Amino acid sequence: MRILVVSDSHGDSYALESVVNKHSSAEIIVHCGDGADEAREIKLRHPDKMVVSVRGNCDFCTDAPTTEIFSVEGKKIFVTHGHLYGVKGGLYTATCAAREAGADILLFGHTHNPLAVYDDGLYILNPGSLRYYEPTYGLVEITEKGVLTNIVSYDR
């Protein structure tokens, strides 16, 4: 199972569509916030994909939730933007929330800084930002052998 993880596209529909097309084998697309409009467009353009999205601090006039929890291939995934968990100051609150939910994987954004780490049974991935600085996104592979998280540079 391949999951494409993006965040902080901030109105850049072209970048998001480009990455989705590049990774057409991804069955699930997760948008970790600050791109509610783009996530909605992706849902419409790719009805064959499961699209999970959450609201970020810059997503106004949306009914997207602030967190989503879903399971796939026996793994529970906790998705949030991160601003409500203070991720710019550290990951403690977000990881506690993910662990309390029984998650195996935590996906978040907000900082625009990519991160892929494993901490005591919890895979943690921030795909960075598709729009700013050096744009990046993430991939999560769930196989019989385990979970692999990866940060990928987006070349405009």
Side-chain angles (χ1 to χ4, degrees):
M1 171 70 58
R2 175 175 278 191
I3 304 170
L4 172 63
V5 185
V6 298
S7 190
D8 296 277
S9 50
H10 291 283
D12 195 339
S13 297
Y14 174 81
L16 182 55
E17 185 68 29
S18 172
V19 168
V20 169
N21 289 336
K22 181 176 183 177
H23 296 282
S24 60
S25 65
E27 293 120 320
I28 301 172
I29 301 164
V30 174
H31 197 301
C32 297
D34 283 356
D37 292 339
E38 299 92 74
R40 191 172 29 257
E41 290 173 19
I42 289 298
K43 284 181 187 180
L44 294 172
R45 287 190 188 131
H46 300 274
D48 57 319
K49 309 271 186 206
M50 176 180 174
V51 178
V52 176
S53 63
V54 294
R55 176 181 23 198
N57 61 302
C58 294
D59 288 322
F60 307 107
C61 302
T62 180
D63 59 356
T66 56
T67 60
E68 279 282 352
I69 300 171
F70 68 99
S71 294
V72 62
E73 301 287 323
K75 301 295 181 189
K76 189 180 267 190
I77 303 173
F78 185 94
V79 183
T80 188
H81 183 58
H83 64 295
L84 298 176
Y85 296 96
V87 297
K88 284 188 177 179
L91 299 181
Y92 180 76
T93 306
T95 58
C96 285
R99 291 181 197 283
E100 187 173 297
D104 302 290
I105 302 169
L106 165 62
L107 305 176
F108 72 98
H110 188 53
T111 68
H112 298 190
N113 297 315
L115 173 73
V117 296
Y118 177 78
D119 181 47
D120 194 26
L122 183 65
Y123 293 89
I124 303 168
L125 177 73
N126 179 337
S129 171
L130 261 183
R131 177 152 180 129
Y132 299 112
Y133 314 113
E134 296 176 7
T136 56
Y137 58 93
L139 293 171
V140 176
E141 298 277 352
I142 302 173
T143 69
E144 293 176 7
K145 294 182 180 182
V147 175
L148 177 66
T149 58
N150 197 16
I151 301 294
V152 182
S153 293
Y154 171 64
D155 297 320
R156 294 182 187 262

